[in-house]
Amino acid sequence: MIPFNKPPYTGNEERHVLDSMCSDKISGDGKYTQLCHLWFEKKLGCAKSLLTPNCTQALEMAAILIDIQPGDEVIMPSYTFVSTANAFVLRGAKIVFVDVRPDTMNMNETLIEQAITNKTKAIVPVHYAGVACEMDTIMDIANHHGLYVIEDAAQGMMSTYKDKPLGTIGHIGVYSFHETKNYTSGGEGGLLIINDEVFVKRAEIIREKGTNRTQFFRGMVDKYSWVDLGSSYLPSDIQAAYLYGQLEKADKINVNRLASWKSYNKKLNMLADRKKVELPSIPKNCVHNGHMFYLKVIDIDTRTKLIEHLKLNDIMAVFHYIPLHSSVAGGDFGRLSGKDLYTTEESEKLIRLPMYFGLDTNEIDYIVDKINDFFLTS
């Protein structure tokens, strides 16, 4: 079976993990955590980066930092993972879902303004498949209405919008290091990216259970105590050590994934020309990271049959999100602004093909051949 995903592994991880295990500090904010923070702050040019146990908790921290209160509204696409919504619902917010653009599956920026009310607190663009939302428009809307922008760039590490790394354009951004992402910190992991200096001090306190412990270790206070709301948002240093091994090879991983993406795109182009499938669209002002290769077929019935055909040929392909607004909890905690013109229809056409660091060109050829076989016989 050609799997849908294999967690990335470069060979550097084991050395760093063993080094961390043998050190005197394997809890959070040890040697490798600091090395990762320095790497990201240099790479992204952000005010502060903070590793978290997962991306969900980075989003939860963001919701606390912008002081989400019961009754506040947060605008986001319905086509996203549940964590994007849950982080704000946990603080009492109502989610306002906006339809997607069919070309990128990102939130339609032209529909955001009509979703704004006097209760709106933030906009959460989700960069689907590591392809940027139209951030200039989103930031202009946010600035005009005095709203926060939290970038859900879970899939977007190494992607850019007009030469700016995803996650660094809004007030706050987040990355995911789950094993299905381009980079992992041992299966789970996340990053909080702070772009507005005003959030830095409080973010460190929230992350350390609401204490000023970080300031104490820097010698800024003579003792630490409970000073604010918070929780335990630190990953172990062993997790950070695993991630650091991948950061050392970040460019190599990125180049490899992009090569696989381009290979799929080229080899499936004939089917696209024949209108059998639709291939991903990359806007000119975006550089993506090869996180995902998907194609769209004519309808959900064709998708189901193609997935089964691939499975019978030992290829694991999957569909993606069920739109949140159509779920049970989505109705309880949110509402759809405007019409669902594309979110449901386009999501039911989408199939994700195997994509991972080290995917063999022969495997891609085999996958493409089996897709071609399906359309020749269907």
Side-chain angles (χ1 to χ4, degrees):
M1 177 70 73
I2 298 175
F4 167 68
N5 175 69
K6 288 182 182 179
Y9 180 75
T10 69
N12 281 9
E13 297 88 346
E14 185 174 354
R15 173 166 54 89
H16 296 318
V17 167
L18 288 172
D19 181 50
S20 177
M21 288 171 62
C22 295
S23 73
D24 294 331
K25 182 174 176 59
I26 61 173
S27 60
D29 282 347
K31 168 186 171 181
Y32 286 99
T33 305
Q34 299 306 321
L35 285 171
C36 288
H37 287 169
L38 288 171
W39 191 94
F40 281 111
E41 286 160 18
K42 181 178 179 181
K43 181 77 173 178
L44 302 178
C46 57
K48 188 71 178 175
S49 69
L50 294 168
L51 290 184
T52 56
N54 51 62
C55 187
T56 300
Q57 291 181 312
L59 284 164
E60 290 174 10
M61 285 186 66
I64 297 171
L65 283 167
I66 64 171
D67 196 29
I68 291 291
Q69 296 292 321
D72 287 341
E73 292 183 350
V74 177
I75 297 170
M76 66 181 64
S78 175
Y79 191 65
T80 184
F81 190 57
V82 65
S83 292
T84 314
N86 262 336
F88 300 92
V89 169
L90 283 169
R91 311 305 309 165
K94 190 83 169 179
I95 307 302
V96 179
F97 298 113
V98 171
D99 203 12
V100 298
R101 295 169 41 158
D103 59 344
T104 61
M105 299 302 287
N106 284 333
M107 180 165 57
N108 188 332
E109 68 280 359
T110 68
L111 302 178
I112 294 173
E113 198 132 29
Q114 68 189 47
I116 295 172
T117 71
N118 59 5
K119 296 180 180 179
T120 306
K121 189 74 168 280
I123 303 169
V124 185
V126 179
H127 303 298
Y128 185 69
V131 177
C133 296
E134 184 47 58
M135 290 305 296
D136 280 354
T137 301
I138 292 171
M139 293 306 298
D140 285 346
I141 293 170
N143 291 333
H144 178 71
H145 291 276
L147 305 176
Y148 292 110
V149 174
I150 311 298
E151 288 181 80
D152 185 339
Q155 302 171 0
M157 181 176 156
M158 302 295 280
S159 295
T160 61
Y161 171 81
K162 295 186 176 180
D163 297 324
K164 297 177 182 177
L166 299 192
T168 68
I169 304 163
H171 299 88
I172 298 171
V174 298
Y175 286 164
S176 172
F177 304 127
H178 187 268
E179 67 171 27
T180 56
K181 301 303 187 289
N182 295 26
Y183 307 89
T184 184
S185 50
E188 295 280 354
L191 185 75
L192 183 74
I193 303 162
I194 300 173
N195 304 308
D196 190 331
E197 290 274 2
V198 72
F199 295 119
V200 172
K201 181 178 178 181
R202 188 164 187 239
E204 292 183 329
I205 290 170
I206 291 168
R207 185 167 169 268
E208 273 280 19
K209 302 90 175 168
T211 74
N212 55 353
R213 189 167 181 260
T214 300
Q215 295 175 36
F216 170 72
F217 282 119
R218 289 179 184 150
M220 298 168 68
V221 293
D222 59 3
K223 58 185 176 182
Y224 72 88
S225 63
W226 184 17
V227 297
D228 197 353
L229 187 70
S231 189
S232 183
Y233 291 124
L234 282 73
S236 77
D237 209 53
I238 295 174
Q239 256 186 287
Y242 194 101
L243 177 62
Y244 189 67
Q246 304 213 331
L247 297 183
E248 291 178 315
K249 299 288 184 71
D251 289 331
K252 179 180 179 180
I253 292 173
N254 196 50
V255 167
N256 179 266
R257 293 187 71 109
L258 284 170
S260 293
W261 191 98
K262 290 173 183 176
S263 182
Y264 270 132
N265 199 55
K266 180 179 179 181
K267 291 169 182 176
L268 288 166
N269 197 55
M270 185 177 296
L271 280 180
D273 288 342
R274 292 168 51 205
K275 308 298 182 184
K276 295 293 186 180
V277 301
E278 182 183 340
L279 302 181
S281 175
I282 310 297
K284 291 181 180 179
N285 54 14
C286 303
V287 175
H288 71 104
N289 60 357
H291 170 64
M292 180 192 311
F293 194 90
Y294 65 82
L295 51 82
K296 292 180 186 176
V297 294
I298 193 168
D299 55 28
I300 192 170
D301 183 56
T302 305
R303 181 181 76 176
T304 301
K305 290 176 180 177
L306 177 53
I307 289 174
E308 183 60 27
H309 168 79
L310 293 174
K311 185 177 180 181
L312 289 172
N313 286 280
D314 295 324
I315 300 163
M316 179 61 68
V318 301
F319 56 85
H320 214 181
Y321 311 125
I322 304 298
L324 296 182
H325 77 271
S326 61
S327 65
V328 174
D332 291 339
F333 300 120
R335 60 179 172 82
L336 180 67
S337 172
K339 296 181 179 180
D340 174 9
L341 294 178
Y342 297 111
T343 299
T344 299
E345 181 180 345
E346 296 299 315
S347 69
E348 289 180 347
K349 299 175 180 179
L350 190 147
I351 302 174
R352 297 179 64 186
L353 301 181
M355 174 64 85
Y356 45 85
F357 174 55
L359 181 62
D360 191 88
T361 54
N362 292 329
E363 292 174 321
I364 294 175
D365 287 341
Y366 178 74
I367 293 164
V368 172
D369 284 345
K370 295 308 172 185
I371 294 172
N372 283 324
D373 288 347
F374 173 83
F375 285 104
L376 284 172
T377 59
S378 62

